[in-house]
Amino acid sequence: MYRKKKTVALLLAGGQGSRLGVLTARRAKPAVTYGGKYRIIDFPLTNCTHSGIDTVGVLTQYRPLELNTYIGTGQAWDLDTITGGAYVLPPFSRTGEAGDWYAGTADAINQNASFINQFDPDTVLILSGDHIYKMNYKWMIAFHEEKKADATIAVIPVPMSEASRFGIMNTDADLRITEFEEKPKQPKSNLASMGVYVFNWKTLRRYMEEDRTKPGSTHDFGKDIIPAMLAGGERMYAYEYGGYWRDVGTIESLWEANMELLRTSPPLNLYDDAWRIFSRNENDPPQYIDAQAVVTNSIICEGCTIYGTVINSVLSAGVIVEEGALVRDSIIMSETYIGRNSRVLKSILDEEVLVGEGALVGADPVDAMTGALGAGAAEACLGAPKCYDPNVPITVVGKGARIEKGAVIEAGMEVHA
């Protein structure tokens, strides 16, 4: 009897994201807001839905509460099915063993082998929960099967000048991987690993079991499992991906990825009905923009109330910008209040921040008192890749912080709650 091949996706979402500073002080990196109404984890979950993968295990670890609550049953991504579903998989204690953190990416998968086995999959799809991209995994799995591969690794071409920052796959003419180099000083190719893997489950399980007791192993796919499989002569291939892909692991990359959405032709299209990005959102009322307000080249989500000026910025749901206030080149997350006559310049404000009347956040040394753009500069923002001063560092304010009336928060500062 013919049995349809089954793929189970495992989404690694337990990263601390320490380079995001105060934004991940209370949440895991995949739960960070992006594009006004999304979380980073929405993208791999949405990709699974569009790719026809209905069984997704989400492996959480660091600060999991907000992420676990957000995922729920997976209904927002149409993953609450009878045959599959979205399953949150935190570290746990097994009989006769002490509970422990996931020791590495491979250890996280190995600890959940019993979860995977109950679905009897032919292949497992390993994903990172902290990258922004749109990808049909179905075509990658088809490539994997066509090549009769034991492992297939998604790669993206990067400039040779930047290749030393990534794990690089060296391949033959048929894209079979001949060598893997982690951040090589003199890279031989520009095919960088995206952290997206397809493995034959039985083969992967064998290598993970061998790695579990190997002295000195970090139990990581890139550092341990992939080199071991290469040394073992397994059939391993690189799958070239040519679309948009962003690792928003730093304040700068998160801010730049949001600013890219404000271009006339953004590199990532969030308005594509054929690949709609699903998310879990509250039913907020419509946005209100007062007759005296000025909004230029910005994303304003539902529930916002704008009386002041917003230029080249991304505002999440429920943000209030009072009369006389200016928000420029900034990311403002949900339920944040910007008081009268205040200035927020090239900053990221987390959720539920209060900016007092007349306060200055992210002082621009060119014009710290007013934050003025100058004659015609606001119009120049329309569709421009950049219309901010690249020399001014980004200011970050943590969730629930209170900026007092008249306070000055200088550019580049990080404010905790």
Side-chain angles (χ1 to χ4, degrees):
M1 181 178 177
Y2 174 76
R3 181 179 74 88
K4 184 179 178 181
K5 291 189 175 182
K6 175 76 174 181
T7 297
V8 170
L10 283 303
L11 206 164
L12 300 167
Q16 180 176 350
S18 58
R19 292 179 298 166
L20 287 174
V22 70
L23 297 180
T24 51
R26 299 186 183 184
R27 62 169 72 89
K29 179 180 170 184
V32 171
T33 299
Y34 165 79
K37 65 176 296 179
Y38 305 104
R39 306 292 182 112
I40 297 172
I41 200 170
D42 286 333
F43 290 84
L45 287 174
T46 292
N47 290 342
C48 287
T49 299
H50 287 304
S51 303
I53 297 171
D54 63 1
T55 305
V56 182
V58 183
L59 281 64
T60 61
Q61 180 162 271
Y62 171 80
R63 297 282 187 177
L65 179 60
E66 185 171 334
L67 188 62
N68 294 355
T69 303
Y70 183 72
I71 294 169
T73 63
Q75 182 180 19
W77 304 272
D78 199 26
L79 292 172
D80 56 336
T81 64
I82 295 175
T83 57
Y87 302 83
V88 176
L89 304 172
F92 61 94
S93 298
R94 290 171 287 191
T95 303
E97 297 183 16
D100 203 359
W101 290 97
Y102 293 140
T105 53
D107 178 64
I109 301 301
N110 200 28
Q111 283 198 40
N112 289 283
S114 58
F115 165 80
I116 301 169
N117 285 333
Q118 68 180 316
F119 298 101
D120 191 25
D122 298 277
T123 53
V124 290
L125 174 67
I126 312 296
L127 307 170
S128 172
D130 50 13
H131 297 151
I132 294 171
Y133 64 110
K134 296 193 290 188
M135 181 179 183
N136 194 331
Y137 303 130
K138 177 171 60 178
W139 304 120
M140 182 177 175
I141 295 168
F143 174 88
H144 175 86
E145 293 173 350
E146 177 190 338
K147 295 295 185 182
K148 297 181 172 57
D150 296 297
T152 300
I153 300 170
V155 296
I156 188 166
V158 298
M160 284 297 293
S161 60
E162 298 181 15
S164 60
R165 297 172 44 222
F166 299 92
I168 297 297
M169 303 294 160
N170 300 321
T171 68
D172 63 18
D174 193 38
L175 289 177
R176 183 163 179 171
I177 299 170
T178 58
E179 185 181 15
F180 172 73
E181 297 180 286
E182 181 68 26
K183 299 181 179 179
K185 292 182 178 180
Q186 295 181 319
K188 301 172 186 176
S189 84
N190 68 334
L191 297 180
S193 172
M194 295 170 57
V196 177
Y197 313 106
V198 177
F199 290 101
N200 289 348
W201 173 231
K202 290 182 180 178
T203 304
L204 176 62
R205 181 73 192 275
R206 174 163 53 87
Y207 276 91
M208 288 193 305
E209 279 299 311
E210 292 173 359
D211 179 75
R212 187 168 65 90
T213 56
K214 186 178 293 184
S217 175
T218 60
H219 312 296
D220 182 80
F221 282 112
K223 295 177 182 177
D224 304 291
I225 301 297
I226 292 172
M229 292 183 72
L230 277 171
E234 307 296 345
R235 293 177 61 85
M236 306 181 70
Y237 284 83
Y239 176 79
E240 287 192 272
Y241 172 74
Y244 179 92
W245 178 82
R246 269 281 199 175
D247 180 354
V248 287
T250 65
I251 292 295
E252 290 75 17
S253 62
L254 177 66
W255 183 80
E256 288 172 1
N258 277 271
M259 292 298 110
E260 286 175 340
L261 297 174
L262 302 177
R263 300 182 190 179
T264 301
S265 298
L268 179 67
N269 182 7
L270 298 179
Y271 305 94
D272 181 5
D273 284 338
W275 201 276
R276 184 171 296 177
I277 307 301
F278 303 117
S279 64
R280 179 175 175 173
N281 291 289
E282 304 297 330
N283 291 320
D284 287 295
Q287 61 177 236
Y288 172 76
I289 300 176
D290 187 70
Q292 304 302 314
V294 175
V295 177
T296 303
N297 198 45
S298 296
I299 293 173
I300 310 294
C301 289
E302 63 270 22
C304 288
T305 303
I306 312 297
Y307 298 101
T309 299
V310 179
I311 298 171
N312 204 54
S313 295
V314 177
L315 274 57
S316 294
V319 172
I320 297 174
V321 180
E322 291 285 11
E323 183 180 353
L326 169 65
V327 177
R328 194 191 81 204
D329 305 332
S330 294
I331 303 165
I332 313 296
M333 298 183 187
S334 60
E335 307 301 328
T336 287
Y337 177 87
I338 312 295
R340 290 170 59 90
N341 301 317
S342 60
R343 301 286 186 268
V344 178
L345 311 172
K346 199 175 180 183
S347 299
I348 300 177
L349 274 55
D350 206 337
E351 299 171 1
E352 301 170 9
V353 170
L354 188 151
V355 178
E357 182 177 349
L360 179 59
V361 180
D364 188 332
V366 175
D367 195 351
M369 295 304 295
T370 66
L373 281 164
E379 289 74 14
C381 283
L382 291 169
K386 292 183 179 180
C387 64
Y388 38 79
D389 186 344
N391 298 315
V392 175
I394 301 161
T395 306
V396 186
V397 180
K399 182 175 180 178
R402 299 292 183 262
I403 308 300
E404 295 182 1
K405 178 179 179 180
V408 175
I409 308 298
E410 295 180 1
M413 289 186 65
E414 184 178 75
V415 180
H416 293 258

